[in-house]
Amino acid sequence: MSKKSSAKSHSLSIRLVAKDAEYLLEDENNEIIKVKSSKEVATILKKKKCTKELNDNPLVLLRDQKNNEPDWVGFIKQMMPEQSRGKLKISNSSAGAVLVVDKIGNDDRIMILSFGQGHHCVPDEIVEPFFGIKVAVNSIDSDKIRSMATSIPNPGGTKAIVQVGTPAQPEQLALSLDSSILKGITGEVSDEQIENPKYLKGSITGSSSLTLKASIASFDNLKELCLEAYDQSLKDDYKDKGFGWIDQLKLLKKHEVVSAGLNEKLKEALKARMDGGEPSGELYLSPPEIVDYERITSFQLIQKSKSEEEYSDLSIDALINLDIK
């Protein structure tokens, strides 16, 4: 009788480094790094404040950690007698880490796993933007979708998350994929979609990353999971399910934005607005992700010299006034 694995189930977030990944360091030389191995990944992540290297094979980096007192602590202290305020000592930790797994598949792909706040160290420019979505759409039963997040490419930057209490089809979520860009999808993996899956089971979520729970006992097991996910991302099933548009979208890298002159065009439009004129095209600011307004009550626009001014909402005029200062 085989012994049942006692490995604990962990929530894992996995990103696939793009095959042609390049990253603009934005240093005095504006060096562009071509990502060929975990060595280049380490250089980039260290620039993004994952500076403490704990291991090189596999590469493990720890995010710079800060302990900050939450804003609400000051309010509570004001409500307490002065002699008791010293008893309230609370801080938040920004702990995080990344683990890099390389040599995945026959073409030696690289994957990055993030933990805690470690995802802040992984720049979008170096990862496949639809890796998680492809894995999820190729794996999830069309009748067992739990939630979908979409973004409509309009001037208002409309974003939506729809979720259901019981597994459903896309039509039942009342989302039009003809006019929206899928940003995330959650659902149940189907045995019909994956033959004898070892790790891709139960509920999974796909966005730029793949998020799932899996029992992993060793680094070899982790590489098996990464290979299973990578193989699933290579399938074309998503095209038959109405998601073929994924292949028509591309995330511009920073140096491509610069070389295309987009930064200069934006500066010209902002200057026209500052001078009281009307810029060509509409200008607006929008959060890149859906905002939980129960938790976030204000925004700050940060320059090199930090401003303490807070705004109840984002606006292009606030940005222009900040630039004038």
Side-chain angles (χ1 to χ4, degrees):
M1 182 181 293
S2 60
K3 189 177 180 181
K4 196 171 183 179
S5 172
S6 59
K8 184 180 177 181
S9 180
H10 292 276
S11 180
L12 302 174
S13 179
I14 307 171
R15 291 170 173 81
L16 176 66
V17 174
K19 200 168 187 177
D20 58 347
E22 297 178 338
Y23 186 74
L24 178 64
L25 285 183
E26 293 186 289
D27 55 12
E28 57 183 15
N29 299 318
N30 278 337
E31 180 185 357
I32 297 175
I33 292 183
K34 295 183 182 294
V35 181
K36 300 294 184 183
S37 68
S38 58
K39 179 182 177 182
E40 290 80 26
V41 172
T43 299
I44 294 169
L45 297 184
K46 287 176 181 178
K47 284 284 184 180
K48 299 292 287 184
K49 297 185 178 180
C50 269
T51 59
K52 189 173 182 180
E53 186 171 331
L54 303 181
N55 196 66
D56 61 354
N57 187 24
L59 177 65
V60 178
L61 296 172
L62 192 64
R63 185 173 187 255
D64 296 353
Q65 189 168 334
K66 293 182 180 179
N67 291 314
N68 300 312
E69 184 178 86
D71 291 339
W72 49 264
V73 170
F75 175 81
I76 294 178
K77 285 182 177 179
Q78 284 183 319
M79 303 300 108
M80 296 170 63
E82 189 171 351
Q83 64 270 20
S84 300
R85 293 174 185 175
K87 298 177 183 178
L88 183 57
K89 297 178 180 179
I90 300 176
S91 64
N92 283 334
S93 174
S94 57
V98 293
L99 187 156
V100 178
V101 184
D102 58 9
K103 302 189 186 311
I104 300 298
N106 294 329
D107 45 355
D108 290 342
R109 299 299 294 272
I110 304 170
M111 291 189 177
I112 302 175
L113 284 79
S114 59
F115 303 88
Q117 299 298 311
H119 63 94
H120 291 297
C121 298
V122 186
D124 292 337
E125 299 97 301
I126 70 168
V127 300
E128 296 283 4
F130 297 107
F131 164 68
I133 287 179
K134 285 185 177 181
V135 176
V137 173
N138 287 340
S139 307
I140 293 172
D141 191 315
S142 298
D143 295 329
K144 294 183 178 180
I145 296 173
R146 287 282 186 180
S147 73
M148 296 175 72
T150 62
S151 175
I152 300 176
N154 59 16
T158 305
K159 300 171 183 65
I161 292 180
V162 178
Q163 62 183 33
V164 290
T166 57
Q169 297 178 336
E171 297 78 13
Q172 294 173 277
L173 275 71
L175 289 174
S176 174
L177 294 178
D178 293 332
S179 58
S180 304
I181 297 174
L182 183 65
K183 301 288 286 185
I185 182 170
T186 298
E188 297 290 323
V189 173
S190 167
D191 292 338
E192 296 178 3
Q193 303 295 325
I194 310 179
E195 187 176 352
N196 299 320
K198 189 173 181 181
Y199 299 102
L200 295 178
K201 299 178 181 180
S203 178
I204 64 173
T205 297
S207 55
S208 59
S209 63
L210 172 67
T211 302
L212 75 162
K213 273 201 159 188
S215 298
I216 304 294
S218 67
F219 185 66
D220 287 341
N221 291 158
L222 181 58
K223 291 201 74 167
E224 289 174 350
L225 163 60
C226 290
L227 180 58
E228 188 171 273
Y230 178 56
D231 287 343
Q232 196 66 7
S233 75
L234 297 178
K235 295 181 178 179
D236 290 335
D237 297 9
Y238 67 93
K239 295 179 180 179
D240 298 330
K241 296 180 179 181
F243 295 91
W245 51 264
I246 288 175
D247 297 329
Q248 307 304 316
L249 297 176
K250 178 186 177 184
L251 180 69
L252 287 179
K253 301 178 180 67
K254 284 185 179 179
H255 70 275
E256 291 175 328
V257 171
V258 173
S259 62
L262 299 181
N263 279 347
E264 293 306 316
K265 290 180 181 179
L266 177 59
K267 289 177 182 177
E268 290 172 6
L270 288 172
K271 188 176 186 304
R273 184 69 167 262
M274 289 168 62
D275 294 341
E278 286 297 324
S280 58
E282 189 170 352
L283 292 176
Y284 65 92
L285 283 183
S286 173
E289 305 294 341
I290 290 177
V291 174
D292 182 357
Y293 283 104
E294 289 186 358
R295 293 179 56 250
I296 297 176
T297 58
S298 63
F299 297 90
Q300 282 185 303
L301 301 174
I302 306 298
Q303 288 182 310
K304 289 182 180 179
S305 57
K306 291 188 176 181
S307 168
E308 297 297 326
E309 190 169 357
E310 295 185 352
Y311 303 87
S312 60
D313 203 356
L314 293 174
S315 74
I316 198 70
D317 290 326
L319 177 65
I320 289 173
N321 290 334
L322 182 67
D323 190 59
I324 290 174
K325 295 174 186 177

